[in-house]
Amino acid sequence: GRTRRSRFRPRRGASSRERFHRMKLAAIQMVSTPDVARNLDTAARLLAQAAAEGATLAVLPEYFCLMAQRDEDKLTMAEPPGDSPIQRFLAAQAQQHGLWLVGGTLPLRDPACAPGHVRNSCGVYAPDGRLAARYDKIHLFAFAAAGEQYDEGRVLEAGSEPVAVQAGALRVGLSVCYDLRFPELYRALMRPPCDVLSVPAAFTYTTGQAHWELLLRARAVENQCYVVAAAQGGRHENGRRTWGHSLIADPWGQVLALRAEGDGVVVAGFDAAAMADVRARLPALRHRRI
């Protein structure tokens, strides 16, 4: 993939203000399988790589833990919220590497769900391993084309509340995959403004090829913040092909780093001064009227 790598690295003893200006963001790309254990091993390896490259915040893709053979498999492997194996794995990884970790998504068996439905949930874990926030995907994907048929609403129950979390010095707005097509969600997350928008995803090859980068760059430009998009990317054992192209975009809409396909890590620097400069020169966030 193409990468424009940040040249800075925090010096020892740097002040909190300096660290805010010198952080690195990471998007983890995977080609997940129906085997949870294998997927967790891959995620652990890639998170270790992100930490070694200096990441402060890392984002895993949607369904990093399972790319199921059938939608109904999400019901059988769904975890209850709390102390369960995949959630323990995410907490341990955040703690081991001292990362803020946006844990992609996993199916959660929320007591409030209707029978035969689960939530597609994204947990954010602090460097001490605690769960700092949970977001349940609001917009459920449906798409029909020649040879392709998707309807997440058959087994998923939609969330209802936008969620942003203070991840250390960064305010991070949470979203998942199909949410990307609904700019009103991101506008809601920008009160007050976020520094980063995270987008764990598993875009189909068809829709991703047409719209993925276009939509991500638009969300970065209109909200004048960084976008970290961690995708599934490749040919999966269940026959599905996902678009990949995990990327990090800056507040001007430039793609700082990108990986087209395959397991890997995308890393780029967070530049608070550059973000502030964009917002000062083009004060679009202050010009909102609706």
Side-chain angles (χ1 to χ4, degrees):
R2 69 179 188 267
T3 304
R4 186 180 305 155
R5 294 206 178 275
S6 168
R7 295 181 178 178
F8 57 72
R9 181 172 291 276
R11 64 176 175 81
R12 291 183 180 181
S15 69
S16 60
R17 179 176 176 81
E18 287 174 310
R19 287 194 295 271
F20 177 58
H21 283 263
R22 295 168 181 260
M23 288 185 289
K24 287 186 178 181
L25 310 171
I28 308 299
Q29 182 160 288
M30 294 176 61
V31 188
S32 294
T33 75
D35 186 327
V36 173
R38 283 165 56 199
N39 298 331
L40 297 190
D41 286 346
T42 299
R45 173 175 57 82
L46 296 173
L47 287 168
Q49 181 181 335
E53 294 191 35
T56 303
L57 172 79
V59 182
L60 285 165
E62 185 179 28
Y63 294 125
F64 81 98
C65 54
L66 179 77
M67 189 59 72
Q69 295 286 0
R70 306 173 307 126
D71 281 347
E72 289 75 13
D73 293 342
K74 298 169 188 174
L75 302 177
T76 57
M77 67 79 59
E79 293 188 345
D83 187 23
S84 300
I86 296 171
Q87 294 162 85
R88 284 199 299 270
F89 167 83
L90 292 169
Q93 289 294 309
Q95 189 170 31
Q96 177 182 341
H97 298 299
L99 286 168
W100 281 94
L101 176 57
V102 179
T105 72
L106 73 156
L108 277 191
R109 197 180 304 114
D110 192 291
C113 283
H117 289 72
V118 294
R119 298 289 176 92
N120 188 10
S121 297
C122 174
V124 180
Y125 294 83
D128 62 3
R130 66 182 170 85
L131 178 66
R134 171 184 150 190
Y135 167 68
D136 296 336
K137 183 179 182 181
I138 290 175
H139 301 98
L140 302 183
F141 181 58
F143 177 67
E148 292 183 279
Q149 188 81 35
Y150 302 96
D151 182 5
E152 290 187 324
R154 291 196 308 110
V155 298
L156 295 182
E157 186 167 302
S160 59
E161 296 296 327
V163 177
V165 60
Q166 194 65 39
L170 295 173
R171 178 173 163 83
V172 180
L174 306 180
S175 64
V176 175
C177 201
Y178 190 50
D179 285 334
L180 186 58
R181 295 182 182 273
F182 300 88
E184 60 271 23
L185 170 61
Y186 298 91
R187 284 310 205 199
L189 291 170
M190 294 300 290
R191 299 183 184 275
C194 292
D195 304 300
V196 175
L197 297 171
S198 71
V199 190
F203 255 58
T204 71
Y205 190 90
T206 303
T207 58
Q209 186 177 41
H211 301 141
W212 170 250
E213 185 172 321
L214 170 70
L215 289 168
L216 290 167
R217 294 178 68 190
R219 299 295 86 86
V221 169
E222 69 197 9
N223 296 295
Q224 299 183 316
C225 65
Y226 285 80
V227 170
V228 181
Q232 296 282 351
R235 183 77 67 178
H236 300 267
E237 291 179 13
N238 64 3
R240 181 175 172 184
R241 186 179 182 187
T242 47
W243 175 241
H245 291 75
S246 295
L247 64 83
I248 298 172
D250 73 8
W252 197 244
Q254 295 178 310
V255 175
L256 302 180
L258 180 148
R259 183 179 184 87
E261 284 193 310
D263 295 337
V265 180
V266 172
V267 176
F270 171 84
D271 189 334
M275 183 174 67
D277 185 57
V278 167
R279 292 177 178 181
R281 288 187 291 114
L282 181 61
L285 293 176
R286 297 204 305 271
H287 291 164
R288 287 177 295 178
R289 292 294 178 266
I290 299 173

